[in-house]
């Protein structure tokens, strides 16, 4: 059974056992609701099946979905298992990686869904008493994404409803918290003002460090031109090393992923 204290390796090992059993029973689960899907009048339509693994005793929620009438013979099947954390229920979510053709596993913490409720559902008047927050998230954000990690194994992942922040630990992507789009815009605004200030510092630094001939070239290139006069003055290797030795680091912001980092 999944526990909040389990190591990433133990979670992945246990999840693989269960997903193998679920895939072997895939046709059985589909046939449980095939008739309702064949005679459905409105689409999309979906059904949720509760299944407890006899191997690990994990509780799995299996969703059979059909987006339109033409896809009744090609149904979407996805599934997740809930587990308890000190901040509420979290989930283990297997996703098929089409690039590597294997399953990868994500862990969503209870804190993540708490932030999803308070930062997206409540402000947008989507939350109702007794609402299944996890099911709503899965139905509206279950795209096949593969978080890209940085050197410290942290990742920022774009979702339909906002931005997820997390960390990859030994093959398990842990989604730790959720940021709404309006919060992202505020961060972007702060970083923009910060970047302007850093650019001023960088200009001062360049003007102080560059040789006189290159200072003139740099300033002319900034005033109404894409590039400065040709040919550009040449810098020696010692000049370049001295110039870059203590250069201020400018914060960069990537709108597609909402990631903030310092330039190299």
């Amino acid at each position: 059974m999944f526990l909040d204290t389990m190591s990433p390796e133990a979670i992945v090992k246990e999840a693989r056992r269960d997903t193998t059993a679920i895939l072997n029973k895939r046709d059985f689960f589909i046939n449980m609701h095939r008739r309702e899907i064949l005679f459905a009048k409105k689409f999309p339509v979906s059904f949720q099946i509760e299944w407890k693994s006899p191997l690990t005793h994990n509780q799995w929620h299996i969703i059979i979905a059909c987006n339109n009438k033409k896809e009744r013979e090609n149904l979407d099947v996805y599934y997740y298992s809930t587990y308890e954390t000190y901040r509420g229920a979290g989930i283990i979510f297997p996703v098929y990686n089409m690039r590597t053709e294997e399953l990868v596993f994500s862990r969503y913490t209870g804190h993540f869904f708490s932030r999803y409720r308070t930062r997206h559902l409540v402000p947008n008047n989507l939350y109702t008493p007794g609402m299944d927050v996890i099911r709503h998230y899965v139905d509206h954000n279950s795209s096949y994404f593969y978080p890209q990690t940085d050197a410290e194994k942290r990742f920022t992942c774009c979702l339909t409803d906002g931005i997820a922040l997390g960390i990859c630990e030994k093959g398990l992507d842990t989604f730790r918290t959720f940021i709404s789009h309006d919060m992202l815009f505020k961060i972007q605004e702060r970083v923009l003002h910060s970047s302007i200030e850093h650019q001023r510092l960088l200009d001062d630094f360049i003007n102080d460090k560059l040789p006189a001939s290159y200072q003139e070239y740099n300033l002319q290139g900034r005033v109404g031109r894409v590039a400065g006069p040709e040919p550009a003055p040449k810098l020696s290797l010692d000049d370049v090393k001295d110039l870059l030795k203590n250069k201020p680091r400018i914060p960069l912001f990537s709108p597609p992923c909402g990631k903030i980092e310092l330039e190299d």
Side-chain angles (χ1 to χ4, degrees):
M1 182 178 294
F2 294 127
L3 299 174
D4 195 25
T5 56
M6 291 175 66
S7 66
E9 299 99 324
I11 290 176
V12 170
K13 181 179 180 180
E14 198 163 291
R16 287 194 185 280
R17 295 180 65 191
D18 285 350
T19 52
T20 298
I22 291 173
L23 291 174
N24 290 336
K25 294 174 66 69
R26 185 178 187 274
D27 291 341
F28 171 78
F29 292 132
I30 290 177
N31 289 333
M32 292 177 65
H33 293 285
R34 183 178 294 276
R35 183 178 177 83
E36 291 96 323
I37 293 173
L38 288 176
F39 290 96
K41 301 297 184 181
K42 295 181 180 180
F43 294 88
V45 62
S46 65
F47 300 92
Q48 181 167 298
I49 301 168
E50 306 296 326
W51 180 75
K52 187 173 183 178
S53 170
L55 301 174
T56 62
H57 305 291
N58 290 314
Q59 186 71 29
W60 288 87
H61 307 265
I62 303 166
I63 300 171
I64 312 296
C66 183
N67 295 319
N68 57 66
K69 188 176 182 179
K70 295 181 180 180
E71 297 182 4
R72 289 182 297 185
E73 296 300 327
N74 186 26
L75 304 176
D76 290 331
V77 180
Y78 52 96
Y79 40 91
Y80 60 91
S81 178
T82 53
Y83 72 102
E84 292 300 320
T85 76
Y86 74 98
R87 291 295 300 272
I91 65 172
I92 305 299
F93 197 172
V95 178
Y96 182 73
N97 189 328
M98 291 179 287
R99 292 179 303 193
T100 62
E101 297 185 350
E102 63 180 12
L103 283 173
V104 294
F105 298 91
S106 300
R107 170 173 57 183
Y108 292 78
T109 64
H111 177 78
F112 177 91
F113 290 112
S114 174
R115 289 291 182 259
Y116 178 68
R117 178 176 62 83
T118 59
R119 291 175 174 175
H120 176 71
L121 297 180
V122 173
N124 290 284
N125 297 318
L126 298 174
Y127 182 74
T128 57
M131 179 182 187
D132 188 342
V133 174
I134 293 176
R135 176 64 189 273
H136 186 279
Y137 170 82
V138 171
D139 286 347
H140 291 81
N141 296 275
S142 56
S143 58
Y144 293 91
F145 51 79
Y146 315 105
Q148 298 296 314
T149 59
D150 61 14
E152 298 181 7
K153 300 299 183 181
R154 298 171 303 182
F155 65 80
T156 306
C157 183
C158 284
L159 305 169
T160 303
D161 295 336
I163 303 294
L165 303 178
I167 187 170
C168 182
E169 303 173 285
K170 301 177 181 178
L172 184 69
D173 297 321
T174 300
F175 288 67
R176 290 182 167 180
T177 193
F178 174 89
I179 296 176
S180 60
H181 288 300
D182 62 325
M183 294 176 64
L184 186 61
F185 297 151
K186 292 175 184 176
I187 293 174
Q188 183 178 14
E189 183 179 358
R190 289 199 300 269
V191 173
L192 177 61
H193 290 301
S194 178
S195 297
I196 294 173
E197 177 64 18
H198 275 74
Q199 185 62 60
R200 185 187 64 79
L201 294 175
L202 184 59
D203 286 344
D204 292 342
F205 174 82
I206 290 177
N207 291 331
D208 180 59
K209 291 290 185 180
L210 280 173
S213 60
Y214 211 94
Q215 287 183 33
E216 180 181 357
Y217 171 80
N218 179 71
L219 292 176
Q220 288 183 18
R222 280 186 174 275
V223 180
R225 297 187 183 184
V226 176
E230 295 292 345
K234 294 183 179 180
L235 292 177
S236 68
L237 181 60
D238 290 336
D239 289 334
V240 174
K241 289 181 178 179
D242 185 60
L243 174 65
L244 300 178
K245 184 169 56 177
N246 298 310
K247 190 191 81 164
R249 301 178 69 195
I250 299 177
L252 303 177
F253 181 83
S254 176
C257 68
K259 184 175 181 180
I260 300 172
E261 58 185 6
L262 293 174
E263 70 167 357
D264 295 329

